[in-house]
Amino acid sequence: MSNEILKAINYRRTVNQNSFTDEQISKEDINQILEAANAAPTHKRTQPWRFVVFQNQGLQRLGEELGRIYKEITPAEKYTEIVEQNMAKKATMSNVAVAIIVDYSGDLPEWEELAATACAVQNMWLAAHSLNIGGYWATPGLINHLNSFLRLEPNQKCIGLFYMGHHNGEPREPVRTPVMEKVRWED
Ligand SMILES: Cc1cc2nc3c(=O)[nH]c(=O)nc-3n(C[C@H](O)[C@H](O)[C@H](O)COP(=O)(O)O)c2cc1C
């Protein structure tokens, strides 16, 4: 990889809670990560991404809510206390969690604003990686039940939780099939 941007793209990885250390993510780093998200491309500059940042007691509340929703929506025969606790732990084992929300303007096809928000998440992920912060985009079905907890407007949808923490993991190459299998050339 010939420059820092290409290296960051190649070595950005999904880093989950089990690898997170106790080190605090500084306010300055969180702000830089959010600024990177806000620099994403956006058709008609609708800037449809919205974020709710959870730290400290906020993470406790998020964890409790995820556990509560799991219990509420899981049929009794499938429910286990371990899974309920693990749901909560995903939040409480992270240093910061960001709820990723699309704010549909109505001025564009919904997919364009969804795509723009996904671009914002990739920017966040790359910015976090560049600051030695690992991240993980989680999209459990539970996120469809977070509307009132997140105080979403009717035109808004939560498309995931981005969990972050400092970590000591080794750099990993991406596991992918060759790009050339996904390309057709027309000369
Ligand atoms: C839209 C989207 C949703 C994802 N949801 C989850 C998820 O719910 N759980 C999970 O473990 N990983 C999730 N991931 C992360 C992928 O599993 C991960 O990116 C993939 O395994 C490749 O690994 P890498 O990120 O290290 O390159 C999601 C990624 C994307 C782009």
Side-chain angles (χ1 to χ4, degrees), residues 30-40 119-120 123-128:
I30 298 172
N31 287 346
Q32 289 201 79
I33 290 166
L34 294 170
E35 291 290 353
N38 200 37
C119 291
N123 274 9
M124 256 172 59
W125 212 332
L126 289 169

Side-chain angles (χ1 to χ4, degrees), residues 174-185:
V175 179
R176 302 288 189 271
T177 56
V179 68
M180 291 312 165
E181 292 176 3
K182 299 155 186 154
V183 179
R184 190 180 75 238
W185 299 86

Side-chain angles (χ1 to χ4, degrees), residues 50 101-104 147 151-158:
R50 299 289 182 274
I101 295 156
V102 193
D103 181 84
Y104 292 111
N147 293 22
R151 304 203 291 274
L152 299 190
E153 303 288 336
N155 67 316
Q156 296 180 333
K157 184 172 165 57
C158 174

Side-chain angles (χ1 to χ4, degrees), residues 15 18-23 132 134 165-171:
V15 180
N18 297 327
S19 307
F20 292 165
T21 65
D22 292 336
E23 186 181 341
N132 295 314
H166 281 286
H167 69 107
N168 296 321
E170 290 296 312

Side-chain angles (χ1 to χ4, degrees), residues 53-149:
V53 181
F54 294 92
Q55 313 170 82
N56 308 310
Q57 290 305 308
L59 284 170
Q60 295 290 338
R61 286 197 297 278
L62 174 64
E64 281 163 20
E65 181 66 5
L66 291 172
R68 191 193 66 72
I69 295 169
Y70 165 75
K71 197 168 181 178
E72 187 179 286
I73 67 172
T74 307
E77 66 276 13
K78 289 203 178 143
Y79 167 86
T80 68
E81 205 174 321
I82 296 285
V83 175
E84 183 184 337
Q85 285 164 1
N86 284 344
M87 285 293 163
K89 268 195 199 158
K90 288 186 196 237
T92 53
M93 285 172 69
S94 301
N95 199 255
V96 174
V98 179
I100 306 156
I101 295 156
V102 193
D103 181 84
Y104 292 111
S105 65
D107 294 340
L108 290 171
E110 287 193 353
W111 76 264
E112 294 202 50
E113 296 191 308
L114 180 61
T117 306
C119 291
V121 176
Q122 175 75 345
N123 274 9
M124 256 172 59
W125 212 332
L126 289 169
H129 169 77
S130 77
L131 298 165
N132 295 314
I133 293 165
Y136 159 52
W137 186 350
T139 51
L142 300 185
I143 58 174
N144 295 319
H145 300 264
L146 283 174
N147 293 22
S148 62
F149 177 75

Side-chain angles (χ1 to χ4, degrees), residues 28-52:
E28 189 191 351
D29 282 356
I30 298 172
N31 287 346
Q32 289 201 79
I33 290 166
L34 294 170
E35 291 290 353
N38 200 37
T42 159
H43 192 184
K44 291 197 183 168
R45 301 225 176 114
T46 60
Q47 305 165 60
W49 44 83
R50 299 289 182 274
F51 305 109
V52 181

